[in-house]
Amino acid sequence: MINKLYPWQDALFHQWMQAGETRHHALLLYGKAGIGKLNFAQTMAAGLLCLQPQHGFACGACQSCHWLSEGAHPDFKEITPEDDDSTEGSKKKTRKRQQILIDQIRVLNDYLSLSAHRVQGMRVVLIHPLEAMNVAASNALLKLLEEPPQRTQFLLVSHQRQALLPTVLSRCMQVEMPVPSREQGLQWLQTQAVPDAEWLWFYSGGAPTAVQQEGVDLYGWFQQCRPHLIGGAKMDVALAVSVLIKQGMEQAIQALQKWLLDLWLSCHQQPLRYHPADVAGLQGLAAQVNLSRLLAFQQQLNRFKMTAQHPLNQELQLEQLLLQYKKMFG
Ligand SMILES: [Zn+2]
């Protein structure tokens, strides 16, 4: 599908598509993860490249739309961290790089120095996430932004604007991306036919596109995790590991972080952010928890998340973390 706009983005989309020639050549679309920034940028790219757009939206039928859906549009370049193939012994491993490298920007530079495929047409460059560029890549991009090629639209997507170089920021039009209201988010989740839209809305922290992925039943999974977490000091760690790991290590860590934040809020009689339906269970735990151990464990999880790229022995790592969880109570 070529048009992937979310309902809370309609007004902004039309504003930027109608801007035409007056539109800034480099739009920085920023905001928290999980609100649909990349979809917005992709929809905009398709609309700009389409030969017969309708109200700014790509038609889905012309040659340009066809190329784009095939991933082979000569006037569209997408730049994102690339896969890194390495061999260890006899095993071939592919892992996602964390960075956008300067070579990728050099290739872009060469590409942009040639003329566009269509004489009067636009070229679109989509870079995401922008904070993945290392300093060398940022400086190379800066040169392009300072002397932009004609009829080229840069769409730059960032979850962490504060991590970008000020020089790069100064060359962009910064566009704060809208977040869905509770009503908009719930309505959208309901159209996705998820088993519990209300739960998912809160669990996502108001950023529903990050948690709602086709074929992933986070709600069903958390139903299984919940009794283990509520168990506190009585948690059976081996059983809890086998359940929490089911959606992968990253989801397990996130689930623990969200649960701990709500536990902390519960200790301070604050409204819960991610699990308002579990207020009773969390209050029960708040009565038993040692606050300084809670804080120490939160910090440990943050550190763990920063370093947790290596896939070694995840069950064992999670087991260690859950032992820490148990020790907070009693
Ligand atoms: Zn089209």
Side-chain angles (χ1 to χ4, degrees):
M1 216 180 57
I2 213 157
N3 295 314
K4 301 184 276 192
L5 217 58
Y6 292 99
W8 52 91
Q9 300 174 327
D10 277 343
L12 188 72
F13 181 78
H14 291 296
Q15 180 191 329
W16 283 113
M17 293 308 285
Q18 280 161 8
E21 298 272 300
T22 65
R23 192 173 40 238
H24 195 281
H25 67 276
L27 297 182
L28 173 68
L29 310 171
Y30 72 91
K32 65 176 170 177
I35 57 173
K37 299 185 296 298
L38 183 57
N39 280 16
F40 182 93
Q42 287 167 337
T43 307
M44 204 170 155
L48 291 171
L49 293 167
C50 177
L51 304 176
Q52 46 194 19
Q54 290 146 13
H55 308 290
F57 287 105
C59 70
C62 71
Q63 180 70 70
S64 173
C65 288
H66 180 67
W67 278 334
L68 204 58
S69 62
E70 300 277 298
H73 200 302
D75 293 330
F76 177 67
K77 273 281 172 283
E78 182 173 2
I79 294 185
T80 193
E82 285 175 350
D83 287 341
D84 188 15
D85 292 324
S86 61
T87 30
E88 257 176 45
S90 58
K91 275 191 204 157
K92 197 169 176 228
K93 288 208 299 192
T94 301
R95 59 175 86 164
K96 188 102 175 140
R97 275 210 192 97
Q98 299 298 304
Q99 289 193 336
I100 293 172
L101 306 176
I102 186 166
D103 283 348
Q104 293 174 265
I105 306 297
R106 286 199 184 116
V107 170
L108 174 66
N109 189 26
D110 292 346
Y111 163 78
L112 289 175
S113 67
L114 305 171
S115 52
H117 184 82
R118 275 197 304 136
V119 178
Q120 286 305 316
M122 292 282 297
R123 276 190 299 195
V124 178
V125 176
L126 169 60
I127 307 183
H128 65 95
L130 199 61
E131 59 272 16
M133 284 193 310
N134 60 27
V135 174
S138 296
N139 284 323
L141 177 68
L142 186 60
K143 289 209 183 77
L144 279 173
L145 296 179
E146 278 169 350
E147 290 167 39
Q150 281 200 328
R151 302 186 67 75
T152 300
Q153 179 69 56
F154 288 88
L155 299 173
L156 312 169
V157 174
S158 172
H159 314 303
Q160 291 174 296
R161 184 175 56 143
Q162 70 281 6
L164 303 175
L165 291 182
T167 43
V168 170
L169 286 176
S170 72
R171 291 291 168 180
C172 304
M173 167 70 82
Q174 300 183 32
V175 182
E176 183 175 6
M177 293 300 288
V179 294
S181 67
R182 183 176 167 187
E183 195 188 0
Q184 287 169 327
L186 279 175
Q187 261 177 16
W188 176 75
L189 282 167
Q190 272 147 10
T191 66
Q192 304 298 297
V194 292
D196 193 320
E198 176 99 0
W199 180 84
L200 214 49
W201 167 253
F202 283 109
Y203 189 74
S204 76
T209 76
V211 295
Q212 173 46 26
Q213 291 162 18
E214 244 172 275
V216 178
D217 179 15
L218 276 187
Y219 176 68
W221 168 68
F222 193 80
Q223 296 310 304
Q224 297 174 17
C225 298
R226 174 188 285 113
H228 295 287
L229 295 170
I230 288 183
K234 297 196 196 78
M235 175 190 270
D236 180 326
V237 169
L239 267 180
V241 167
S242 68
V243 174
L244 261 104
I245 202 80
K246 278 183 187 169
Q247 294 289 346
M249 193 63 169
E250 207 180 316
Q251 284 292 355
I253 301 297
Q254 271 186 31
L256 281 172
Q257 287 183 309
K258 289 175 179 183
W259 186 257
L260 287 181
L261 182 80
D262 272 355
L263 181 54
W264 189 90
L265 290 169
S266 194
C267 291
H268 294 82
Q269 285 86 44
Q270 301 281 321
L272 304 183
R273 186 184 298 176
Y274 299 110
H275 310 89
D278 285 313
V279 63
L282 281 158
Q283 272 170 358
L285 288 175
Q288 308 160 37
V289 76
N290 175 314
L291 259 181
S292 59
R293 283 188 199 159
L294 169 59
L295 285 172
F297 187 39
Q298 279 180 318
Q299 282 165 4
Q300 191 186 349
L301 279 175
N302 290 341
R303 276 198 305 274
F304 185 85
K305 204 176 176 185
M306 308 271 280
T307 55
Q309 295 303 331
H310 43 90
L312 290 170
N313 218 335
Q314 296 186 330
E315 273 91 354
L316 193 65
Q317 290 178 329
L318 190 55
E319 189 183 310
Q320 297 298 325
L321 291 173
L322 292 181
L323 285 169
Q324 291 293 110
Y325 178 79
K326 274 183 79 159
K327 276 191 202 153
M328 301 190 312
F329 305 99

PDB file of all heavy atoms in Angstrom, residues 79 100-110 127 133 136-142 144:
ATOM      1  N   ILE A  79      17.585   6.176   2.775  1.00  0.00           N
ATOM      2  CA  ILE A  79      18.838   5.884   3.474  1.00  0.00           C
ATOM      3  C   ILE A  79      18.554   5.573   4.940  1.00  0.00           C
ATOM      4  O   ILE A  79      17.907   6.352   5.649  1.00  0.00           O
ATOM      5  CB  ILE A  79      19.810   7.073   3.346  1.00  0.00           C
ATOM      6  CG1 ILE A  79      20.198   7.196   1.873  1.00  0.00           C
ATOM      7  CG2 ILE A  79      21.043   6.853   4.220  1.00  0.00           C
ATOM      8  CD1 ILE A  79      21.229   8.231   1.604  1.00  0.00           C
ATOM      9  N   ILE A 100      24.245   5.090  10.257  1.00  0.00           N
ATOM     10  CA  ILE A 100      24.297   5.430   8.840  1.00  0.00           C
ATOM     11  C   ILE A 100      25.723   5.912   8.572  1.00  0.00           C
ATOM     12  O   ILE A 100      26.224   6.792   9.282  1.00  0.00           O
ATOM     13  CB  ILE A 100      23.275   6.528   8.496  1.00  0.00           C
ATOM     14  CG1 ILE A 100      21.853   5.973   8.655  1.00  0.00           C
ATOM     15  CG2 ILE A 100      23.483   7.048   7.070  1.00  0.00           C
ATOM     16  CD1 ILE A 100      20.760   7.018   8.527  1.00  0.00           C
ATOM     17  N   LEU A 101      26.387   5.315   7.607  1.00  0.00           N
ATOM     18  CA  LEU A 101      27.816   5.575   7.400  1.00  0.00           C
ATOM     19  C   LEU A 101      28.045   6.625   6.321  1.00  0.00           C
ATOM     20  O   LEU A 101      27.198   6.844   5.446  1.00  0.00           O
ATOM     21  CB  LEU A 101      28.519   4.269   6.998  1.00  0.00           C
ATOM     22  CG  LEU A 101      28.300   3.101   7.966  1.00  0.00           C
ATOM     23  CD1 LEU A 101      28.958   1.838   7.430  1.00  0.00           C
ATOM     24  CD2 LEU A 101      28.806   3.431   9.356  1.00  0.00           C
ATOM     25  N   ILE A 102      29.209   7.228   6.382  1.00  0.00           N
ATOM     26  CA  ILE A 102      29.521   8.298   5.436  1.00  0.00           C
ATOM     27  C   ILE A 102      29.497   7.791   3.989  1.00  0.00           C
ATOM     28  O   ILE A 102      29.097   8.522   3.082  1.00  0.00           O
ATOM     29  CB  ILE A 102      30.873   8.979   5.765  1.00  0.00           C
ATOM     30  CG1 ILE A 102      31.072  10.182   4.846  1.00  0.00           C
ATOM     31  CG2 ILE A 102      32.028   7.995   5.693  1.00  0.00           C
ATOM     32  CD1 ILE A 102      32.156  11.109   5.247  1.00  0.00           C
ATOM     33  N   ASP A 103      29.862   6.536   3.777  1.00  0.00           N
ATOM     34  CA  ASP A 103      29.821   5.993   2.416  1.00  0.00           C
ATOM     35  C   ASP A 103      28.419   6.078   1.818  1.00  0.00           C
ATOM     36  O   ASP A 103      28.253   6.314   0.618  1.00  0.00           O
ATOM     37  CB  ASP A 103      30.288   4.526   2.405  1.00  0.00           C
ATOM     38  CG  ASP A 103      31.803   4.436   2.500  1.00  0.00           C
ATOM     39  OD1 ASP A 103      32.463   5.496   2.340  1.00  0.00           O
ATOM     40  OD2 ASP A 103      32.320   3.338   2.741  1.00  0.00           O
ATOM     41  N   GLN A 104      27.425   5.881   2.662  1.00  0.00           N
ATOM     42  CA  GLN A 104      26.052   5.955   2.165  1.00  0.00           C
ATOM     43  C   GLN A 104      25.712   7.371   1.699  1.00  0.00           C
ATOM     44  O   GLN A 104      24.992   7.555   0.719  1.00  0.00           O
ATOM     45  CB  GLN A 104      25.065   5.521   3.256  1.00  0.00           C
ATOM     46  CG  GLN A 104      25.184   4.049   3.621  1.00  0.00           C
ATOM     47  CD  GLN A 104      24.289   3.687   4.805  1.00  0.00           C
ATOM     48  OE1 GLN A 104      24.718   3.683   5.947  1.00  0.00           O
ATOM     49  NE2 GLN A 104      23.028   3.412   4.531  1.00  0.00           N
ATOM     50  N   ILE A 105      26.246   8.372   2.405  1.00  0.00           N
ATOM     51  CA  ILE A 105      25.983   9.759   2.016  1.00  0.00           C
ATOM     52  C   ILE A 105      26.799  10.117   0.771  1.00  0.00           C
ATOM     53  O   ILE A 105      26.359  10.886  -0.079  1.00  0.00           O
ATOM     54  CB  ILE A 105      26.299  10.732   3.182  1.00  0.00           C
ATOM     55  CG1 ILE A 105      25.541  10.313   4.448  1.00  0.00           C
ATOM     56  CG2 ILE A 105      25.941  12.170   2.806  1.00  0.00           C
ATOM     57  CD1 ILE A 105      24.035  10.355   4.333  1.00  0.00           C
ATOM     58  N   ARG A 106      28.006   9.522   0.645  1.00  0.00           N
ATOM     59  CA  ARG A 106      28.811   9.764  -0.572  1.00  0.00           C
ATOM     60  C   ARG A 106      28.092   9.229  -1.802  1.00  0.00           C
ATOM     61  O   ARG A 106      28.067   9.872  -2.850  1.00  0.00           O
ATOM     62  CB  ARG A 106      30.180   9.078  -0.439  1.00  0.00           C
ATOM     63  CG  ARG A 106      31.099   9.814   0.509  1.00  0.00           C
ATOM     64  CD  ARG A 106      32.560   9.400   0.265  1.00  0.00           C
ATOM     65  NE  ARG A 106      33.418  10.032   1.246  1.00  0.00           N
ATOM     66  CZ  ARG A 106      34.132   9.383   2.161  1.00  0.00           C
ATOM     67  NH1 ARG A 106      34.119   8.052   2.195  1.00  0.00           N
ATOM     68  NH2 ARG A 106      34.879  10.034   3.019  1.00  0.00           N
ATOM     69  N   VAL A 107      27.510   8.041  -1.653  1.00  0.00           N
ATOM     70  CA  VAL A 107      26.755   7.461  -2.770  1.00  0.00           C
ATOM     71  C   VAL A 107      25.568   8.367  -3.120  1.00  0.00           C
ATOM     72  O   VAL A 107      25.276   8.617  -4.287  1.00  0.00           O
ATOM     73  CB  VAL A 107      26.268   6.030  -2.416  1.00  0.00           C
ATOM     74  CG1 VAL A 107      25.293   5.504  -3.456  1.00  0.00           C
ATOM     75  CG2 VAL A 107      27.465   5.092  -2.281  1.00  0.00           C
ATOM     76  N   LEU A 108      24.931   8.885  -2.076  1.00  0.00           N
ATOM     77  CA  LEU A 108      23.806   9.810  -2.293  1.00  0.00           C
ATOM     78  C   LEU A 108      24.273  11.061  -3.046  1.00  0.00           C
ATOM     79  O   LEU A 108      23.603  11.531  -3.973  1.00  0.00           O
ATOM     80  CB  LEU A 108      23.202  10.198  -0.943  1.00  0.00           C
ATOM     81  CG  LEU A 108      22.105  11.268  -0.978  1.00  0.00           C
ATOM     82  CD1 LEU A 108      20.870  10.734  -1.696  1.00  0.00           C
ATOM     83  CD2 LEU A 108      21.744  11.730   0.429  1.00  0.00           C
ATOM     84  N   ASN A 109      25.416  11.555  -2.647  1.00  0.00           N
ATOM     85  CA  ASN A 109      25.976  12.752  -3.272  1.00  0.00           C
ATOM     86  C   ASN A 109      26.213  12.514  -4.770  1.00  0.00           C
ATOM     87  O   ASN A 109      25.849  13.343  -5.614  1.00  0.00           O
ATOM     88  CB  ASN A 109      27.284  13.113  -2.551  1.00  0.00           C
ATOM     89  CG  ASN A 109      27.808  14.464  -3.004  1.00  0.00           C
ATOM     90  OD1 ASN A 109      27.036  15.312  -3.438  1.00  0.00           O
ATOM     91  ND2 ASN A 109      29.116  14.649  -2.928  1.00  0.00           N
ATOM     92  N   ASP A 110      26.807  11.373  -5.095  1.00  0.00           N
ATOM     93  CA  ASP A 110      27.032  11.025  -6.506  1.00  0.00           C
ATOM     94  C   ASP A 110      25.707  10.956  -7.254  1.00  0.00           C
ATOM     95  O   ASP A 110      25.576  11.459  -8.372  1.00  0.00           O
ATOM     96  CB  ASP A 110      27.744   9.670  -6.624  1.00  0.00           C
ATOM     97  CG  ASP A 110      29.172   9.749  -6.091  1.00  0.00           C
ATOM     98  OD1 ASP A 110      29.664  10.885  -5.895  1.00  0.00           O
ATOM     99  OD2 ASP A 110      29.772   8.689  -5.851  1.00  0.00           O
ATOM    100  N   ILE A 127      15.622   9.929   4.715  1.00  0.00           N
ATOM    101  CA  ILE A 127      16.660   9.419   5.617  1.00  0.00           C
ATOM    102  C   ILE A 127      16.043   9.161   6.991  1.00  0.00           C
ATOM    103  O   ILE A 127      15.402  10.040   7.566  1.00  0.00           O
ATOM    104  CB  ILE A 127      17.839  10.405   5.759  1.00  0.00           C
ATOM    105  CG1 ILE A 127      18.383  10.781   4.376  1.00  0.00           C
ATOM    106  CG2 ILE A 127      18.948   9.794   6.619  1.00  0.00           C
ATOM    107  CD1 ILE A 127      19.596  11.700   4.411  1.00  0.00           C
ATOM    108  N   MET A 133      23.003   8.785  11.966  1.00  0.00           N
ATOM    109  CA  MET A 133      24.191   9.239  11.229  1.00  0.00           C
ATOM    110  C   MET A 133      25.318   9.528  12.197  1.00  0.00           C
ATOM    111  O   MET A 133      25.119  10.227  13.193  1.00  0.00           O
ATOM    112  CB  MET A 133      23.878  10.523  10.450  1.00  0.00           C
ATOM    113  CG  MET A 133      23.063  10.269   9.209  1.00  0.00           C
ATOM    114  SD  MET A 133      23.050  11.730   8.143  1.00  0.00           S
ATOM    115  CE  MET A 133      22.596  12.981   9.293  1.00  0.00           C
ATOM    116  N   ALA A 136      30.715  12.047  10.807  1.00  0.00           N
ATOM    117  CA  ALA A 136      31.231  12.201   9.437  1.00  0.00           C
ATOM    118  C   ALA A 136      30.077  12.223   8.440  1.00  0.00           C
ATOM    119  O   ALA A 136      30.048  13.057   7.519  1.00  0.00           O
ATOM    120  CB  ALA A 136      32.194  11.058   9.119  1.00  0.00           C
ATOM    121  N   ALA A 137      29.131  11.324   8.618  1.00  0.00           N
ATOM    122  CA  ALA A 137      27.975  11.272   7.714  1.00  0.00           C
ATOM    123  C   ALA A 137      27.149  12.553   7.834  1.00  0.00           C
ATOM    124  O   ALA A 137      26.686  13.109   6.830  1.00  0.00           O
ATOM    125  CB  ALA A 137      27.115  10.043   8.023  1.00  0.00           C
ATOM    126  N   SER A 138      26.988  13.040   9.068  1.00  0.00           N
ATOM    127  CA  SER A 138      26.217  14.279   9.284  1.00  0.00           C
ATOM    128  C   SER A 138      26.846  15.443   8.549  1.00  0.00           C
ATOM    129  O   SER A 138      26.148  16.257   7.930  1.00  0.00           O
ATOM    130  CB  SER A 138      26.150  14.632  10.773  1.00  0.00           C
ATOM    131  OG  SER A 138      25.444  13.651  11.476  1.00  0.00           O
ATOM    132  N   ASN A 139      28.173  15.538   8.622  1.00  0.00           N
ATOM    133  CA  ASN A 139      28.853  16.652   7.961  1.00  0.00           C
ATOM    134  C   ASN A 139      28.748  16.558   6.438  1.00  0.00           C
ATOM    135  O   ASN A 139      28.620  17.569   5.764  1.00  0.00           O
ATOM    136  CB  ASN A 139      30.309  16.725   8.405  1.00  0.00           C
ATOM    137  CG  ASN A 139      30.416  17.320   9.803  1.00  0.00           C
ATOM    138  OD1 ASN A 139      29.656  18.223  10.152  1.00  0.00           O
ATOM    139  ND2 ASN A 139      31.315  16.798  10.613  1.00  0.00           N
ATOM    140  N   ALA A 140      28.776  15.328   5.941  1.00  0.00           N
ATOM    141  CA  ALA A 140      28.617  15.144   4.495  1.00  0.00           C
ATOM    142  C   ALA A 140      27.202  15.541   4.072  1.00  0.00           C
ATOM    143  O   ALA A 140      27.010  16.189   3.038  1.00  0.00           O
ATOM    144  CB  ALA A 140      28.901  13.691   4.111  1.00  0.00           C
ATOM    145  N   LEU A 141      26.226  15.174   4.890  1.00  0.00           N
ATOM    146  CA  LEU A 141      24.843  15.549   4.571  1.00  0.00           C
ATOM    147  C   LEU A 141      24.671  17.067   4.632  1.00  0.00           C
ATOM    148  O   LEU A 141      23.977  17.655   3.809  1.00  0.00           O
ATOM    149  CB  LEU A 141      23.870  14.880   5.551  1.00  0.00           C
ATOM    150  CG  LEU A 141      22.401  15.270   5.354  1.00  0.00           C
ATOM    151  CD1 LEU A 141      21.854  14.720   4.034  1.00  0.00           C
ATOM    152  CD2 LEU A 141      21.526  14.803   6.509  1.00  0.00           C
ATOM    153  N   LEU A 142      25.343  17.659   5.600  1.00  0.00           N
ATOM    154  CA  LEU A 142      25.244  19.105   5.784  1.00  0.00           C
ATOM    155  C   LEU A 142      25.588  19.842   4.489  1.00  0.00           C
ATOM    156  O   LEU A 142      24.911  20.790   4.088  1.00  0.00           O
ATOM    157  CB  LEU A 142      26.180  19.534   6.918  1.00  0.00           C
ATOM    158  CG  LEU A 142      26.095  20.985   7.350  1.00  0.00           C
ATOM    159  CD1 LEU A 142      24.697  21.320   7.843  1.00  0.00           C
ATOM    160  CD2 LEU A 142      27.112  21.277   8.447  1.00  0.00           C
ATOM    161  N   LEU A 144      25.236  18.810   1.502  1.00  0.00           N
ATOM    162  CA  LEU A 144      24.125  18.663   0.552  1.00  0.00           C
ATOM    163  C   LEU A 144      22.962  19.587   0.907  1.00  0.00           C
ATOM    164  O   LEU A 144      22.301  20.128   0.027  1.00  0.00           O
ATOM    165  CB  LEU A 144      23.623  17.212   0.564  1.00  0.00           C
ATOM    166  CG  LEU A 144      24.419  16.214  -0.260  1.00  0.00           C
ATOM    167  CD1 LEU A 144      23.914  14.804  -0.012  1.00  0.00           C
ATOM    168  CD2 LEU A 144      24.299  16.557  -1.739  1.00  0.00           C
TER     169      LEU A 144
END
